[in-house]
Amino acid sequence: KAGVTQTPRYLIKTRGQQVTLSCSPISGHRSVSWYQQTPGQGLQFLFEYFSETQRNKGNFPGRFSGRQFSNSRSEMNVSTLELGDSALYLCASSHQLTLPDEQFFGPGTRLTVL
Amino acid sequence: DQQVKQNSPSLSVQEGRISILNCDYTNSMFDYFLWYKKYPAEGPTFLISISSIKDKNEDGRFTVFLNKSAKHLSLHIVPSQPGDSAVYFCAASGAGANSKLTFGKGITLSVRP
């Protein structure tokens, strides 16, 4: 079974630009969550999508948005990039059929904002 | 307000000895606790979990202990191996089907040969 894939793996943008990151979950998983990892801050939850609906949202500004498609693939968009948005963005999928809900992570997209 | 705390940012142990990674939480509604391991340039991978009805769960060299009254859990790795060197994240969730995971900041474990 293929794992969670994220594209692109690396991205360099400049302040003010926008960026779209993509995540393909494990086949059969309907839940996709996004996290931001920065040095010293651990994994901070951005949002979770389940069956194309945003079900949970973290404490991030509205510049961060996402969506999920009918095939469970998900995209995350960040508009008006700031230097502080430089981070590793991780996507995780789960089937949510049992508890605890073990999440399977992709390798992440390393975003650098110059 | 950080609900899952890993107060020690790093830990260094000798190969063959025990590694003890600690985690504290504040939300009494958490029902499940998970540990993830992360190597550089890779996403975190699930290691072991424990539910709040248990106080211990063991899987090979890895054992997680839960003290609900103290809102504290720990991950023991015995014996520690150089390949265990990684960042370890503690995470917690409620019992609801749509309860999200809340992660700590992580602990960097270094196992010296």
Side-chain angles (χ1 to χ4, degrees):
Chain A
K1 207 178 213 183
V4 178
T5 58
Q6 292 186 246
T7 57
R9 290 294 309 276
Y10 301 92
L11 207 48
I12 299 176
K13 292 285 188 178
T14 56
R15 279 183 302 173
Q17 287 187 308
Q18 76 160 19
V19 66
T20 300
L21 313 181
S22 181
C23 171
S24 292
I26 291 173
S27 177
H29 287 190
R30 292 197 292 165
S31 170
V32 174
S33 298
W34 288 88
Y35 297 86
Q36 180 195 65
Q37 185 190 6
T38 53
Q41 290 301 314
L43 276 71
Q44 294 187 283
F45 174 75
L46 281 154
F47 28 66
E48 182 216 356
Y49 286 87
F50 185 85
S51 293
E52 302 179 65
T53 301
Q54 187 180 88
R55 193 162 62 172
N56 282 302
K57 190 177 189 303
N59 297 322
F60 278 80
R63 299 185 298 107
F64 292 81
S65 63
R67 60 177 174 169
Q68 186 180 32
F69 302 95
S70 58
N71 62 358
S72 293
R73 191 177 70 83
S74 177
E75 286 183 347
M76 190 192 93
N77 185 277
V78 187
S79 62
T80 320
L81 284 166
E82 301 177 359
L83 295 178
D85 296 333
S86 295
L88 179 67
Y89 290 89
L90 292 159
C91 165
S93 74
S94 65
H95 54 54
Q96 299 221 331
L97 295 177
T98 58
L99 290 173
D101 181 40
E102 180 189 335
Q103 297 197 349
F104 295 81
F105 284 83
T109 295
R110 172 72 63 183
L111 172 65
T112 302
V113 182
L114 303 175
Chain B
D1 178 37
Q2 204 179 358
Q3 298 186 62
V4 178
K5 301 177 183 179
Q6 295 178 264
N7 294 319
S8 301
S10 63
L11 175 68
S12 181
V13 301
Q14 192 75 37
E15 180 180 5
R17 308 294 287 269
I18 184 172
S19 294
I20 300 177
L21 288 71
N22 294 308
C23 178
D24 297 292
Y25 62 97
T26 59
N27 190 340
S28 58
M29 300 301 290
F30 286 145
D31 269 325
Y32 295 98
F33 304 89
L34 301 85
W35 285 92
Y36 282 80
K37 179 169 73 173
K38 185 181 185 301
Y39 293 117
E42 294 181 13
T45 55
F46 171 76
L47 197 56
I48 191 170
S49 67
I50 189 169
S51 75
S52 60
I53 62 173
K54 294 186 175 182
D55 55 15
K56 177 183 174 181
N57 189 26
E58 194 171 352
D59 184 2
R61 297 186 297 114
F62 302 91
T63 303
V64 57
F65 295 92
L66 175 63
N67 184 332
K68 278 197 73 175
S69 61
K71 294 191 176 67
H72 176 84
L73 63 153
S74 60
L75 175 67
H76 293 210
I77 306 174
V78 184
S80 300
Q81 299 173 354
D84 296 329
S85 297
V87 178
Y88 289 78
F89 291 99
C90 171
S93 73
N98 61 351
S99 185
K100 67 179 179 70
L101 279 178
T102 300
F103 283 84
K105 291 187 178 183
I107 301 173
T108 300
L109 173 65
S110 299
V111 180
R112 306 185 304 273

